[in-house]
Amino acid sequence: MGNKTKLSLKPFVKWAGGKRQLLSIIDENLPEELKRGSINRYVEPFVGGGAVFFHIIGNYQVEEVILNDINQQLINVYRIIRDDVNGLIEYLANIEDEYLSLNEEGRKEYFYNKRVFYNRNRIHSTEIAGIFIFLNRTCFNGLYRVNKKGEFNVPHGRYKNPTILDENNLLNVSVVLQNVKLKSVDFEEMEKYVNDKTFVYLDPPYRPLDATSNFTSYNKSDFNDEEQKRLKKFYDKLDKKGASLLLSNSDPKNTNENDDFFDELYSDYKIKRVYANRMINANGNNRGKVTELLISNY
């Protein structure tokens, strides 16, 4: 399995912590076995927007791919793109025409009506997948955030001409998803798909760098330090199975040079600090170069 025709691929949603800007650095740190073709399975337990998956499927040959995310609505969108891309395109074309024809107040009302409908009808259907993409493309900062009830609660954004339907990309994504196994389970349940011919890329919700950057609500349960420690135990299990592992996370030393949380937790592995453009708190003036961690077992 691989992108033999070199389709142009990119994430179909905006996703907090997405990896598009880090792809060249991640590529440099991929295992040599993947580049040589001796790894035949790719597993991603926290797929999110899928930037790394699209990069790998576009550049390397793997026979089998298993993608997982605890966010069931997100995985529904992946499934609909795989199984009913034409129906999704038709729905998005209509919603784009309706939305773009409205004035600012009309767009705002349209957005909130769709958000209410989405939260009341969290079923796995083409329509709900289409609304998911619509909300993602038109909400504030393209965030996906839910409250404790699991309801999407991001406010309306103010984009003059948002791209709601990216038809070519959806068609290309549908092609590469055809033989992909899609799951929406706890990350530990992915262990059964991993063997010594597997590359696993782990991109969990990042550990917050400070109180104002505490954005981990991709689903209704928070990914706290205990979850990070549980993930480390999972990482150890996969390492013992002989899999090649690469994990991304925030670097606490950006805000506290004495915070050795990950350095201590992953002391048995290779920890590399790489630079990324990130907003490290709610103040837009504090956007800039920060280090992130890439942790590998090879």
Side-chain angles (χ1 to χ4, degrees), residues 79-98:
R79 286 198 181 108
I80 295 298
I81 292 173
R82 182 187 66 189
D83 302 336
D84 185 26
V85 70
N86 292 321
L88 180 63
I89 286 169
E90 185 180 346
Y91 183 81
L92 286 171
N94 290 333
I95 214 172
E96 185 174 72
D97 287 346
E98 290 171 359

Side-chain angles (χ1 to χ4, degrees), residues 8-19:
S8 172
L9 296 163
K10 63 184 179 183
F12 52 85
V13 286
K14 301 175 185 176
W15 209 250
K19 291 295 173 293

Side-chain angles (χ1 to χ4, degrees), residues 38-294:
S38 57
I39 281 174
N40 58 26
R41 184 180 294 173
Y42 176 65
V43 173
E44 197 168 340
F46 306 90
V47 67
V52 173
F53 159 67
F54 293 125
H55 176 78
I56 284 175
I57 207 71
N59 291 281
Y60 304 105
Q61 288 293 321
V62 286
E63 294 170 17
E64 198 176 359
V65 175
I66 303 100
L67 304 178
N68 177 70
D69 200 281
I70 197 68
N71 186 322
Q72 294 182 359
Q73 295 295 67
L74 174 65
I75 292 299
N76 174 55
V77 183
Y78 276 91
R79 286 198 181 108
I80 295 298
I81 292 173
R82 182 187 66 189
D83 302 336
D84 185 26
V85 70
N86 292 321
L88 180 63
I89 286 169
E90 185 180 346
Y91 183 81
L92 286 171
N94 290 333
I95 214 172
E96 185 174 72
D97 287 346
E98 290 171 359
Y99 180 79
L100 294 182
S101 69
L102 300 169
N103 62 21
E104 190 173 326
E105 272 308 302
R107 288 184 179 190
K108 195 172 179 180
E109 182 181 1
Y110 188 92
F111 173 89
Y112 286 112
N113 285 339
K114 290 294 183 191
R115 195 178 79 170
V116 168
F117 183 84
Y118 174 83
N119 284 328
R120 287 180 181 167
N121 297 274
R122 280 176 279 159
I123 54 175
H124 296 166
S125 68
T126 300
E127 180 181 21
I128 293 302
I131 295 175
F132 183 110
I133 291 175
F134 164 73
L135 293 174
N136 178 264
R137 293 285 179 162
T138 56
C139 74
F140 177 74
N141 269 2
L143 289 172
Y144 188 89
R145 184 187 63 204
V146 296
N147 61 23
K148 293 294 181 187
K149 296 178 184 175
E151 296 169 334
F152 180 78
N153 64 356
V154 183
H156 185 234
R158 296 174 70 178
Y159 304 101
K160 284 188 176 172
N161 192 30
T163 299
I164 295 164
L165 169 61
D166 187 345
E167 184 172 352
N168 285 340
N169 189 55
L170 288 177
L171 289 168
N172 291 345
V173 169
S174 183
V175 169
V176 300
L177 286 176
Q178 284 311 303
N179 296 307
V180 168
K181 188 173 287 183
L182 297 168
K183 309 294 291 181
S184 185
V185 295
D186 181 79
F187 64 82
E188 285 196 78
E189 293 186 43
M190 299 300 285
E191 183 187 348
K192 60 179 175 253
Y193 300 109
V194 175
N195 60 25
D196 61 356
K197 295 281 193 245
T198 306
F199 172 52
V200 185
Y201 174 62
L202 303 113
D203 185 26
Y206 275 20
R207 185 172 186 252
L209 290 176
D210 59 30
T212 58
S213 66
N214 190 1
F215 179 80
T216 56
S217 301
Y218 302 94
N219 57 78
K220 56 189 175 184
S221 57
D222 288 331
F223 209 89
N224 57 22
D225 279 1
E226 290 309 306
E227 288 293 281
Q228 298 286 358
K229 291 172 186 175
R230 184 166 73 93
L231 177 60
K232 160 59 167 54
K233 290 178 182 173
F234 176 67
Y235 193 102
D236 289 338
K237 285 181 188 174
L238 303 189
D239 177 60
K240 286 186 174 70
K241 294 183 96 170
S244 298
L245 311 174
L246 182 66
L247 179 142
S248 298
N249 218 310
S250 57
D251 182 3
K253 291 186 181 297
N254 284 295
T255 51
N256 179 0
E257 63 182 27
N258 298 314
D259 189 336
D260 294 319
F261 181 79
F262 288 120
D263 293 85
E264 291 176 357
L265 194 60
Y266 287 93
S267 60
D268 293 338
Y269 301 101
K270 182 179 175 184
I271 300 174
K272 183 179 279 193
R273 286 176 160 82
V274 299
Y275 281 98
N277 286 308
R278 294 284 185 216
M279 183 173 75
I280 63 170
N281 65 28
N283 182 346
N285 294 327
N286 288 333
R287 293 174 193 263
K289 290 279 186 186
V290 297
T291 52
E292 293 191 6
L293 303 179
L294 286 179

